[in-house]
């Protein structure tokens, strides 16, 4: 039986998203991430996302007075975001992630995340999120509900997203907290917080940070940082309303 995990959406949207004077959407990034310039991703009725135009990142913290936030992400994923250009609305999301593509700024930390304490990538190589309902709010915001399959378990989640559509394409930013124990990732909770900050940014390409020695737990380890520039990495205009994508097999 799936379990429902719902954020306090109203207050979260107020604190996470704001609108600049020129109508520019501004997302407050985790303390260890640097916001990158975004470039709209072209669409017709669907937006195809991939590392060339999208970032999927997370920030984990340690338990105690010194959280030592550590940035990570995935370098292999693909998916589709359904849109209604006339109504200026998001209609659906379907995203598959190759969990073995996980990266952090620390080699040993990356290897640790891949082992049985966390992702168990050899046993559970893929994750997938499929929306079941998208509720349009106002001012370019929506709530996305759906099923997330991770670590071999499926749970229902809901998160807020802020987006902007223009003739140039789609920009989207969704930042929320995910309880990893809902998916059986319940080890080391005495040292690593169970709540993980997740950030999905459409319009900014994936640029995984350079790795260094260490596991990210010592004071000598440098804090994680992430920046990116869309540059020439933005997706080419789509020529068809129908887009097929080979998402990971979740059966």
């Amino acid at each position: 039986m799936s379990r429902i995990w719902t954020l306090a959406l109203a207050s979260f949207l107020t604190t996470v998203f704001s609108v600049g004077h020129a109508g520019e959407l501004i997302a407050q990034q985790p303390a260890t991430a640097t916001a990158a310039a975004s470039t709209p991703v072209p669409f017709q009725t669907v937006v195809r996302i991939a590392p060339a135009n999208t970032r999927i990142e997370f920030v984990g913290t340690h338990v105690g007075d010194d959280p030592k936030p550590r940035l990570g992400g995935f370098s292999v994923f693909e998916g589709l975001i359904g849109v209604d250009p006339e109504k200026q609305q998001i209609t659906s999301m379907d995203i598959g992630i190759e969990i073995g593509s996980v990266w952090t700024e620390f080699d040993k930390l990356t290897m640790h995340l891949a082992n049985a304490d966390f992702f168990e990538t050899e046993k559970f190589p893929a994750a997938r999120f499929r929306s079941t309902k998208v509720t349009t709010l106002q001012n370019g915001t929506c709530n996305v509900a759906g099923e997330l399959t991770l670590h071999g378990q499926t749970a229902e989640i809901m998160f807020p997203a802020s987006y902007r559509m223009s003739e140039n394409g789609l920009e989207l930013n969704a930042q929320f907290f995910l309880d990893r124990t809902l998916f059986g990732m319940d080890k080391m909770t005495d040292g690593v917080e169970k709540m993980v900050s997740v950030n999905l940014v459409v319009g900014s390409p994936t640029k995984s940070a350079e790795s260094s020695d260490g596991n990210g737990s010592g004071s000598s380890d440098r804090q994680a940082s992430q920046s990116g520039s869309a540059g020439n990495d933005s997706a080419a205009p789509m020529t068809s309303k129908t887009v097929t994508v080979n998402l990971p097999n979740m059966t």
Side-chain angles (χ1 to χ4, degrees):
M1 179 70 65
S2 297
R3 289 163 287 181
I4 300 177
W5 180 68
T6 307
L7 297 172
L9 292 171
S11 61
F12 186 78
L13 282 169
T14 301
T15 56
V16 173
F17 298 106
S18 60
V19 180
H21 295 297
E24 180 182 5
L25 295 177
I26 302 170
Q28 296 178 7
Q29 303 290 325
T32 55
T34 301
S38 61
T39 299
V41 179
F43 64 81
Q44 289 188 3
T45 58
V46 291
V47 177
R48 181 171 183 170
I49 65 170
N53 57 33
T54 299
R55 291 186 286 129
I56 300 178
E57 300 172 343
F58 58 86
V59 175
T61 56
H62 293 81
V63 174
D65 296 333
D66 188 7
K68 299 185 182 71
R70 301 305 179 199
L71 177 70
F74 301 97
S75 59
V76 180
F77 57 85
E78 54 187 358
L80 300 174
I81 298 178
V83 299
D84 185 331
E86 293 185 2
K87 295 183 178 179
Q88 297 283 290
Q89 294 177 353
I90 303 294
T91 59
S92 64
M93 286 190 186
D94 193 343
I95 303 171
I97 302 173
E98 184 178 309
I99 298 299
S101 71
V102 63
W103 57 263
T104 72
E105 280 203 331
F106 304 98
D107 293 332
K108 291 181 180 179
L109 175 58
T110 300
M111 290 187 289
H112 192 186
L113 291 181
N115 75 19
D117 285 340
F118 294 100
F119 286 120
E120 294 188 85
T121 57
E122 290 190 4
K123 187 176 181 180
F124 307 109
R128 188 173 186 178
F129 174 77
R130 286 181 277 195
S131 65
T132 55
K133 183 179 181 180
V134 179
T135 303
T136 302
L137 301 176
Q138 57 184 354
N139 299 325
T141 59
C142 64
N143 293 336
V144 183
E147 295 184 343
L148 174 63
T149 300
L150 173 67
H151 195 245
Q153 298 191 29
T154 299
E156 296 180 6
I157 67 170
M158 181 185 293
F159 59 87
S162 180
Y163 63 91
R164 178 170 57 192
M165 294 184 196
S166 68
E167 61 182 8
N168 296 319
L170 172 72
E171 296 171 80
L172 181 143
N173 207 318
Q175 187 178 45
F176 57 98
F177 288 92
L178 189 68
D179 183 349
R180 62 185 174 91
T181 64
L182 292 180
F183 304 90
M185 299 175 65
D186 53 6
K187 297 180 180 179
M188 301 190 68
T189 53
D190 57 336
V192 179
E193 295 285 357
K194 68 177 184 177
M195 302 301 291
V196 179
S197 175
V198 179
N199 200 23
L200 167 67
V201 182
V202 177
S204 180
T206 297
K207 292 187 180 296
S208 55
E210 295 182 2
S211 295
S212 64
D213 293 334
N215 60 13
S217 62
S219 59
S220 60
D221 292 329
R222 60 192 175 95
Q223 286 192 343
S225 63
Q226 175 76 357
S227 62
S229 176
N232 295 324
D233 291 327
S234 57
M238 299 172 65
T239 57
S240 173
K241 291 186 178 181
T242 302
V243 176
T244 59
V245 58
N246 295 318
L247 293 168
N249 184 0
M250 303 303 297
T251 59

